[in-house]
Amino acid sequence: MSVFEQKARQILGKADIEIGGNQPWDMQVGNPRLYSRILRQGSIGLGEAYMDGWWDAEALDQFFDHLLRTRINRREPWLQKWLLTTLATLTNRQSFARAFQVGEEHYDLGNDLYEAMLDPTLAYTCGYWKDAKTLEEAQIAKMDLICRKIDLRKGQTVLDIGCGWASFAKFAAERYGAKVVGTTVSKEQVVLARKRCEGLPVEIRLEDYRDTKGSFDHIVSIGMFEQVGYKNYEVFMRKAASLLKEEGLFLLHTIGGNRSEVRTDPWIDRYIFPNGMLPSIKQIGASLEDVFVMEDWHNFGADYDKTLMAWHANFQAAWPTLAPKYGERFKRMWEYYLLACAGSFRARKNQLWQIVLSKRGVPGGYRSLR
């Protein structure tokens, strides 16, 4: 047994993960070079080795649940961590010049992939499973909850920053009679979103939030803030405030982290969400000062575990039709993404927040809805 393997077994053992064990979360190793690769490269090495077929686990979501509960993920190679943190500090990786990169590399992968993986609403954010039995029910419940939280009325205007395939825009227009402007940085999303909203009072724009103009009764941003970046949080908030009418409400729906960071996981950054990062409570709070009044803060992060597992089940079921276009290495990358994230939410490392904001405070107080 090599020194690298001994060290890997020691570290994983603290998370109750056994190499070659019989539990669903145990690691099965197919290439002995894995150990040195992980210890030298951290999360990049772990993820790329999985994509290359060097290791597996019967239940990858459980593997990450065990791994992340012990905070082993913080033990990155120090040089890699220092370089990535320095890069994030010295540069603005979410600048206007980079705004469309995530659209091109992630959301433009192919509408066929997302139509197969998501439910019929095409919502690509956490569902609300309080009373839901299916993924579609959970997504409809989430969108209805948002409409109720902002007290959406017929004929009111709503700006949806990061509208995706228009799941919320379509829902708000059909169910609540709202007039919606949706913005996205993905060309593929624009094409399908416009098609889905034909005949509805919905306008879909291909633009970065910094370019948006208008005046709106309410604003929502559902699963887009993760691409804003800590250097731009205050810019984002001040832009939203400039677009929101005085008595309006702004609902921010975002994944959040338990500690303040200036970068994201290196593997996620390279393969899934380039230039993304998760905000912390502290970072969001600082960006709100002298801009908004925080009316309500709702955490239902555990629901993202169920959502991701449902997406994974859909993806696996649809794979025979997707395989010729995407290939086996993509399959392993995508299932690693979905199941690693599910494990992260299950371990409560990541959260899902819905934050309701007003410009001057709701007269008499805001009534929280759940």
Side-chain angles (χ1 to χ4, degrees), residues 204-219:
I204 303 298
R205 302 175 183 173
L206 179 68
E207 68 180 12
D208 179 68
Y209 69 91
R210 284 162 283 211
D211 278 342
T212 301
K213 294 178 174 60
S215 178
F216 302 90
D217 293 307
H218 302 292
I219 299 175

Side-chain angles (χ1 to χ4, degrees), residues 226-266:
E226 300 88 338
Q227 294 296 139
V228 170
Y230 79 105
K231 290 191 173 184
N232 307 304
Y233 290 156
E234 186 175 344
V235 171
F236 179 90
M237 293 299 178
R238 291 193 179 279
K239 180 64 178 182
S242 73
L243 299 168
L244 183 65
K245 293 181 180 179
E246 287 301 305
E247 303 303 319
L249 293 174
F250 171 30
L251 186 140
L252 179 67
H253 172 118
T254 182
I255 300 171
N258 293 335
R259 59 199 301 257
S260 297
E261 302 278 5
V262 297
R263 60 187 180 83
T264 191
D265 173 82

Side-chain angles (χ1 to χ4, degrees), residues 185-204:
V185 294
S186 164
K187 294 178 181 178
E188 290 297 311
Q189 286 185 335
V190 167
V191 171
L192 186 53
R194 286 175 177 170
K195 181 179 179 181
R196 298 180 72 230
C197 292
E198 287 180 356
L200 294 172
V202 174
E203 177 189 355
I204 303 298

Side-chain angles (χ1 to χ4, degrees), residues 39-266:
L39 294 173
R40 285 186 291 104
Q41 300 176 352
S43 71
I44 285 283
L46 183 68
E48 290 185 340
Y50 183 86
M51 292 164 62
D52 293 339
W54 285 23
W55 70 277
D56 222 317
E58 180 183 339
L60 199 59
D61 53 309
Q62 294 183 44
F63 170 86
F64 278 101
D65 180 21
H66 278 71
L67 187 72
L68 295 174
R69 284 184 187 276
T70 60
R71 300 186 178 183
I72 288 175
N73 62 300
R74 292 190 187 179
R75 301 176 186 177
E76 269 177 54
W78 71 269
L79 181 59
Q80 179 191 71
K81 183 175 183 179
W82 180 81
L83 287 171
L84 291 170
T85 301
T86 301
L87 178 64
T89 303
L90 295 178
T91 63
N92 184 354
R93 300 194 64 223
Q94 297 81 19
S95 66
F96 181 78
R98 296 171 180 262
F100 290 83
Q101 185 178 352
V102 69
E104 294 166 356
E105 295 186 19
H106 185 80
Y107 299 106
D108 289 350
L109 281 171
N111 286 332
D112 57 340
L113 169 66
Y114 293 105
E115 287 178 299
M117 184 181 79
L118 306 177
D119 72 287
T121 71
L122 290 188
Y124 190 28
T125 52
C126 182
Y128 189 49
W129 291 84
K130 180 182 177 183
D131 299 311
K133 299 294 189 296
T134 67
L135 177 60
E136 184 176 9
E137 288 178 0
Q139 295 294 7
I140 290 172
K142 182 264 303 291
M143 292 186 288
D144 188 65
L145 180 65
I146 292 172
C147 291
R148 291 186 290 117
K149 282 184 174 182
I150 62 175
D151 193 23
L152 185 59
R153 306 294 178 86
K154 184 177 181 180
Q156 288 187 325
T157 55
V158 183
L159 171 64
D160 183 356
I161 305 174
C163 66
W165 292 273
S167 57
F168 176 81
K170 187 173 185 291
F171 180 89
E174 290 178 338
R175 301 287 186 95
Y176 281 80
K179 301 174 183 177
V180 187
V181 171
T183 66
T184 175
V185 294
S186 164
K187 294 178 181 178
E188 290 297 311
Q189 286 185 335
V190 167
V191 171
L192 186 53
R194 286 175 177 170
K195 181 179 179 181
R196 298 180 72 230
C197 292
E198 287 180 356
L200 294 172
V202 174
E203 177 189 355
I204 303 298
R205 302 175 183 173
L206 179 68
E207 68 180 12
D208 179 68
Y209 69 91
R210 284 162 283 211
D211 278 342
T212 301
K213 294 178 174 60
S215 178
F216 302 90
D217 293 307
H218 302 292
I219 299 175
V220 301
S221 183
I222 309 168
M224 173 271 177
F225 195 65
E226 300 88 338
Q227 294 296 139
V228 170
Y230 79 105
K231 290 191 173 184
N232 307 304
Y233 290 156
E234 186 175 344
V235 171
F236 179 90
M237 293 299 178
R238 291 193 179 279
K239 180 64 178 182
S242 73
L243 299 168
L244 183 65
K245 293 181 180 179
E246 287 301 305
E247 303 303 319
L249 293 174
F250 171 30
L251 186 140
L252 179 67
H253 172 118
T254 182
I255 300 171
N258 293 335
R259 59 199 301 257
S260 297
E261 302 278 5
V262 297
R263 60 187 180 83
T264 191
D265 173 82

